[in-house]
């Protein structure tokens, strides 16, 4: 979507035009869903996070500075919503642990999502083995082509921390995925 057209949609959305919101949703959904898929493990959780992202986009659109790139702002919403989701999940997990401790119920685990081919599956599994902080850096670097400086701004952390997480992630990916190069991660499109 071209920037001028996107800017016009944003102006219409600020005026409350729901059709402009639907058009923007259709234009950005696939990219945002792919990012969320790598940051959130379970399908139902992804849907919940996606709903929260677009609700947040609609409600905080008045705060959006049109001089800044829209996708950068939208990815900031993604990070904040994923972080909120993790905090909520952690709280739910703690409550669940307490309930299990008292009632000794067995936990339920979703089966892993089927992936398209073996290579993509291996890379995806390697990415999922990273810590949440490392995974966020890798996703924004390889799937959205952000510079390390932009990632530092997006995650609101120092550049040195981003570099450290980036290099640690690459080492972990090389160790986990054998001879697969990180550049091949750009070709994954399994969601």
């Amino acid at each position: 979507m071209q920037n001028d057209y996107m800017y016009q949609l944003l102006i219409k959305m600020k005026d409350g035009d729901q059709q402009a919101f639907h058009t923007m949703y259709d234009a950005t959904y696939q990219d945002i869903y792919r990012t969320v898929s790598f940051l959130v493990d379970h399908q139902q959780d992804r849907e919940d996070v996606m709903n929260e992202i677009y609700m947040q986009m609609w409600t905080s659109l008045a705060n959006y500075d049109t001089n800044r790139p829209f996708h950068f702002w939208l990815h900031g919403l993604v990070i904040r919503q994923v972080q909120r989701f993790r905090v909520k999940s952690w709280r739910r997990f703690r409550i669940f642990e307490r309930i299990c401790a008292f009632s000794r119920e067995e936990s339920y685990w979703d089966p892993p999502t089927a992936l398209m081919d073996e290579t993509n599956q291996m890379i995806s599994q390697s990415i999922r083995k990273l810590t949440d902080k490392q995974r966020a850096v890798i996703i924004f670097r390889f799937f959205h082509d952000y510079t390390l400086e932009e990632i530092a701004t997006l995650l609101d952390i120092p550049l040195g921390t981003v570099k450290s997480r980036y290099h640690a992630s690459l080492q972990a990916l090389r160790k986990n995925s054998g001879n697969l190069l990180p550049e091949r991660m750009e070709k994954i499109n399994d969601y």
Side-chain angles (χ1 to χ4, degrees):
M1 185 178 294
Q2 294 180 350
N3 287 337
D4 292 338
Y5 181 65
M6 188 170 286
Y7 180 75
Q8 295 300 323
L9 285 177
L10 290 171
I11 297 298
K12 289 180 181 178
M13 286 172 56
K14 280 186 172 184
D15 293 338
D17 185 345
Q18 292 184 359
Q19 185 58 39
F21 177 79
H22 288 291
T23 304
M24 182 66 75
Y25 177 86
D26 291 340
T28 58
Y29 178 83
Q30 191 171 16
D31 178 53
I32 297 302
Y33 187 79
R34 186 175 67 158
T35 301
V36 170
S37 295
F38 278 102
L39 298 173
V40 177
D41 290 333
H42 299 287
Q43 176 71 30
Q44 183 59 45
D45 295 337
R46 292 178 197 148
E47 297 297 328
D48 293 343
V49 170
M50 290 294 292
N51 290 336
E52 292 296 323
I53 289 168
Y54 282 98
M55 283 295 295
Q56 185 67 38
M57 182 176 86
W58 180 258
T59 57
S60 64
L61 195 58
N63 300 330
Y64 171 64
D65 178 8
T66 55
N67 295 323
R68 298 184 65 194
F70 175 71
H71 279 92
F72 193 76
W73 179 74
L74 186 57
H75 286 138
L77 289 179
V78 170
I79 286 297
R80 285 189 291 281
Q81 291 303 321
V82 168
Q83 288 171 342
R84 284 186 189 150
F85 167 76
R86 287 185 181 139
V87 169
K88 286 181 187 177
S89 294
W90 182 80
R91 288 182 184 151
R92 280 185 292 188
F93 180 73
R94 296 290 297 165
I95 291 170
F96 181 74
E97 273 188 332
R98 289 181 189 157
I99 291 171
C100 285
F102 289 114
S103 64
R104 299 197 183 274
E105 292 180 358
E106 293 184 21
S107 63
Y108 174 76
W109 296 97
D110 291 334
T113 304
L115 298 175
M116 289 183 158
D117 66 55
E118 190 173 316
T119 302
N120 288 349
Q121 185 176 8
M122 192 164 58
I123 292 173
S124 294
Q125 287 174 349
S126 295
I127 291 172
R128 293 190 191 287
K129 288 179 183 176
L130 298 174
T131 66
D132 292 337
K133 293 176 181 177
Q134 291 174 337
R135 194 179 325 157
V137 170
I138 288 296
I139 296 301
F140 284 120
R141 178 72 185 117
F142 284 102
F143 294 114
H144 299 291
D145 293 327
Y146 285 125
T147 64
L148 296 179
E149 293 82 9
E150 290 172 327
I151 294 170
T153 303
L154 191 62
L155 298 177
D156 196 25
I157 56 177
L159 178 60
T161 303
V162 171
K163 288 179 179 177
S164 173
R165 288 179 187 173
Y166 177 69
H167 292 294
S169 302
L170 290 180
Q171 286 178 343
L173 288 173
R174 285 186 184 115
K175 180 180 175 186
N176 292 333
S177 61
N179 59 356
L180 292 173
L181 299 173
E183 291 79 21
R184 293 195 60 188
M185 291 188 297
E186 296 173 355
K187 297 178 182 173
I188 294 178
N189 192 12
D190 57 349
Y191 295 102

